[in-house]
Amino acid sequence: ATLGRGLPPGFWWGTATAGHQIEGGLTDDWTQWEDSRFPDGGFHVAGGQRSGLADDSWNRFEEDLALMKAAGATAYRFSVEWSRLEPTEGTWDEAALARYQTWARRLREEGVEPMVTLHHFTLPTWMAAKGGLLSPELPAALERLARKVGTALGPDVDLWCPINEINVVAALGWLDGTWPPGGQGDTRSQGQVMLNLLRAHARMAAALREVDPGTPARPTRITHAHHVRIFQPASHAVLDTAIAALTDDFANEAVPRAFKTGRLTLSVPGTFSLDEEVPGLKGSLDLLGLNYYTRDIVRADLGNPALAIRYTRPGRPVSDLGWDLYPDGLRELLVRFAAYGWPLVVTENGMADAAGDRRSDFLLQHVAALEQAVA
């Protein structure tokens, strides 16, 4: 009965989705990835599954909205799907844009605050063919997307997230090789992807403020949905501690530090270092979004491209993905990132739980952690 009383008045209770995850009927670089395999013949997606129709959310938005209202949601973070809006370079699907406009307007009418993500992992196939996230043309192309969507949805949207999880898409696409384009152990390209996406963010934020200045009562506010994790060394050994700290800096600190200073600084000893200014990045954020799910134990492994093996301790409660369920990590990270000075938003939190019998406890425990952080 007292849960949530420790949170400030007007606190947003929301849900979050990604277009590729829920809309259905898409053709982008991820559908191409689903249709191909790893060099050893293994499926890119477990069991050879396809996104396909997904939840058919593209055609069932009003049902989604009714479910949000029933759940008491006061905010909804959704993404626009670039491949749907600009299926071929320079050609815009105005009907698709109008549908997203309707979504934003309907959310506002029902008292649900929309937060719109412009790039949530996926790319149009034409952009992927030009080099994807490494393409020098990417920042300008994403700026055009921001200008187009910001102009159309601006009257009903005040909260914008230009890009989702810069650190994750760079790591899984170029270091782990589990996401498109499947690069492995390429820390240099990983760093260049992060740099390119930060350049894009700066240009997108400037474009959004230009086409959607908002009003004094409802100013346009820009965030970044930043994936954060707890990285704990496997032991007190110097190497485990050092590699855990390096992993933490690369994954957790590099992107917020870049937003604060206007420079991306990365270093992997013996591999590469990067220190480069990003024009327009400093001052481009109004809020910092944190996507929090789990904790990793880090054991040094210098033969691994990531210099470490990350795992969950045996016997720990885990999600269907095998992720450690560690609510106190949310409290710890909120307190830590508050030190940067931005207002914080938890832009993602949840668990993979197909049976649905543990999710309520998960959410209750994480709301309690949220209240502890506020206190």
Side-chain angles (χ1 to χ4, degrees):
T2 61
L3 194 69
R5 287 189 186 173
L7 299 172
F11 184 86
W12 286 314
W13 294 102
T15 56
T17 58
H20 187 90
Q21 179 183 51
I22 65 160
E23 284 186 10
L26 293 168
T27 301
D28 55 34
D29 66 328
W30 277 60
T31 55
Q32 289 181 327
W33 183 252
E34 291 162 8
D35 289 338
S36 55
R37 298 192 182 207
F38 288 111
D40 66 3
F43 292 114
H44 279 152
V45 181
Q49 293 183 74
R50 309 289 199 276
S51 51
L53 193 61
D55 299 319
D56 194 24
S57 190
W58 185 243
N59 298 306
R60 300 176 69 172
F61 175 77
E62 286 295 328
E63 292 174 62
D64 291 347
L65 182 52
L67 288 166
M68 287 178 227
K69 293 289 288 180
T74 53
Y76 178 45
R77 176 177 169 232
F78 68 95
S79 73
V80 295
E81 181 62 26
W82 186 9
S83 66
R84 200 186 279 286
L85 290 172
E86 193 179 9
T88 57
E89 187 174 7
T91 303
W92 297 94
D93 186 330
E94 298 294 341
L97 186 61
R99 187 172 300 197
Y100 287 126
Q101 269 182 299
T102 301
W103 290 9
R105 188 181 68 249
R106 287 289 295 124
L107 287 162
R108 271 280 169 83
E109 288 170 355
E110 295 295 330
V112 180
E113 188 74 24
M115 176 187 280
V116 175
T117 307
L118 294 172
H119 180 264
H120 200 128
F121 297 149
T122 56
L123 294 170
T125 54
W126 59 265
M127 189 72 242
K130 286 172 171 268
L133 299 183
L134 279 171
S135 171
E137 297 181 35
L138 181 80
L142 280 171
E143 181 187 346
R144 290 197 307 272
L145 177 71
R147 199 171 291 281
K148 185 77 174 178
V149 179
T151 301
L153 273 62
D156 293 300
V157 176
D158 301 319
L159 294 167
W160 296 96
C161 176
I163 299 172
N164 179 75
E165 295 189 338
I166 286 171
N167 54 352
V168 170
V169 72
L172 297 188
W174 279 266
L175 190 65
D176 294 2
T178 50
W179 284 10
Q184 290 185 315
D186 190 350
T187 48
R188 192 175 299 277
S189 290
Q190 180 188 0
Q192 289 300 318
V193 167
M194 293 169 72
L195 182 62
N196 212 26
L197 286 171
L198 286 167
R199 287 174 178 147
H201 166 96
R203 293 178 62 159
M204 295 165 85
L208 287 167
R209 294 190 205 282
E210 183 185 326
V211 301
D212 177 30
T215 66
R218 302 193 73 110
T220 288
R221 288 192 282 176
I222 309 289
T223 188
H224 174 67
H226 177 50
H227 184 98
V228 290
R229 295 167 97 95
I230 296 290
F231 296 103
Q232 288 186 351
S235 74
H236 294 298
V238 172
L239 205 52
D240 283 352
T241 305
I243 298 298
L246 178 69
T247 304
D248 179 89
D249 186 75
F250 212 101
N252 285 333
E253 294 289 343
V255 169
R257 184 169 61 233
F259 282 123
K260 182 59 75 173
T261 64
R263 304 184 72 84
L264 178 62
T265 54
L266 292 169
S267 179
V268 179
T271 307
F272 89 110
S273 63
L274 190 155
D275 181 358
E276 192 154 338
E277 185 176 357
V278 180
L281 186 64
K282 188 176 182 178
S284 66
L285 274 197
D286 301 296
L287 310 162
L288 179 62
L290 299 183
N291 296 352
Y292 173 72
Y293 294 97
T294 190
R295 163 178 67 171
D296 286 335
I297 307 302
V298 179
R299 173 173 288 127
D301 178 0
L302 300 186
N304 188 301
L307 304 180
I309 293 173
R310 290 164 25 198
Y311 63 95
T312 298
R313 293 198 191 279
R316 287 284 307 165
V318 295
S319 73
D320 292 355
L321 293 175
W323 291 4
D324 192 348
L325 306 184
Y326 185 60
D328 193 56
L330 178 59
R331 176 201 57 77
E332 181 182 327
L333 290 165
L334 283 166
V335 170
R336 172 175 160 185
F337 282 93
Y340 274 100
W342 294 294
L344 300 178
V345 185
V346 180
T347 33
E348 290 179 29
N349 176 246
M351 70 173 291
D353 176 26
D357 55 8
R358 297 181 296 154
R359 185 173 289 110
S360 59
D361 280 348
F362 177 98
L363 292 172
L364 291 169
Q365 290 165 7
H366 283 76
V367 171
L370 195 61
E371 290 185 299
Q372 291 162 13
V374 170

